[in-house]
Amino acid sequence: MPPTTGRWGRTIAVTRLATGLILFFYVLTHNLNHALGLISFPAMEAGRTVFLAFWRFEPIEIVLLLAALAHLSIGLRALYRRKSLRMPVPEAAQLILGLCIPPLILLHIIGTVVSHDLYGIDDRYAYVLWVLWVLQPGLGAMQSVALVVSWFHGCIGLNYWLRVKPWFPALQPYFGGLALMIPILALLGFVAGGREVAEWAEDPAWPARLAAEINMPSQDQVAFLYRLRDWLMVAFFAIVGGVFAARVVRTLATRRRAIAVSYPDGKRVVIQPGTSLLEASRIGGIPHASVCGGRSRCSTCRVRVIEGAEALPPPLEEEQRVLTRIHAPPGVRLACQARPTGAVTIQPLLPPQVTAQKALFGSDISQGKEQEVAVLFADLRGFTSMAERRLPYDVVFLLNQYFRVTGEAIVAAGGHVDKFIGDGVMAVFGLKGRPELASAQALDAARRMALALETFNAQHHAELKTPFRIGIGIHFGPAIVGEMGFPPALSLTAIGDTVNTASRLESATKEENCQLLISETVALGAELPGDIGRRCEISLRGREQRLVAIAIDNAAALPASA
Ligand code: FES
């Protein structure tokens, strides 16, 4: 198989989409025409007049025929290019439904469009429904199946196309409703029309009258149309069979040239040349996101190449466009486009169930980046000894109440609750918006937390022998932020020296006997008035230089603007 250049690949992708949309529009209008049968038979026929005025306009008819041939050819080409038939259920459904369409609709097309174009037969609804509903109900059932199959084949393709659009999730339920409603209405319209025609056909003179009106085909013409159906059917199955045979030949020819794709957890998948990294994951049963179904649109399949980057040909235009769009760092590739020629080790970067919106339009934070943030640590003083004297239920109740007011204070100040650790909390400020506001936001959160604690102690004074006390430490500086963990325990968090320093400041509140201890960087960043707090120096583990900090006895007394 010749290598696909970027421009050629893009042309094929655009053609596949354009022809798919043309065919979907045809099926949609065909179904809506059927649905008019629910209103009345004359409405159905009137709708058909409009339908045919458009679709049988010669240039449009040619475009439709070419679209069908091109779409089928591109689909068969994609089937050949797949190195593995392991695929997600929607992709498999789209492929199987697509392959079913030609044999299902061939006779119908020959009996309507071809017989009209060759012999001038008027294939009006009365004629078609007489054949499908009265004379050959089995054929009618087959066309009903064809209607559903072609509709859902198109819906799956549309869904793959639209699901990467930022506005799609909000409208998805409505599209889903239409996707179900339209074929149901079409089938009900077909049934209503069929029953009406069946009543007319009870009159023995009606078929003869109809035959005269529509220029009924002769016996010879019908025989030729059936022969044409048989030839086309044989040709179709020969082509599809040829594609599968070519796949087998290719597999046999390349089986000695095995390539190993390794993953950080030690899994190893052996593939043949030409197999994409996404297909490698599927062959190995390794969960791998692929929202657009490998069409180079969503970027959810992206991987970091840990070893063997030289065994991957450079990205083609299509892949590069997406990588540029997501600001992918060097060493990141789209697994659905990258086809290794030698051993590689890769790491899928997104969880398998990620959405395209998150992958394409989410912030860089979710993928990990270094940025300046303010980190706040707070810890309850004496809670452990208090908990030892209480029932577990009381402990959990009080702690959850405290977490609630603390979390609300952090969020109200513009922070992100990173995690609750035992009876402590970690929060990060400056993840969104302007980082220069992070220190002021963190100080505001400390003030709100102290105020909330005062209220909490007042509300629970009957249950608490001694009021809760809190120690808070805040530092500002660079940290690595990103979604860390493993699905479903994946959360946005920060790591690095800034986090360790904030934690150290929190524990040093005991030594300094204060409620809040902030680094000088935070005080400067928040423009804290110089007369607030007292300066002190804190030792940091592994560092000779001591950290200059400001100790504040009562954070509740901080000015609201600090
Ligand atoms: S699966 Fe969508 S870009 Fe690779």
Side-chain angles (χ1 to χ4, degrees), residues 91 164 278 282 289-302 322 334-337:
E91 271 184 56
V164 299
L278 178 61
R282 288 176 178 173
S290 60
V291 168
C292 74
R295 292 167 172 82
S296 191
R297 288 191 201 133
C298 68
S299 87
T300 56
C301 64
R302 59 187 179 252
V322 178
L334 294 187
C336 66
Q337 303 300 312

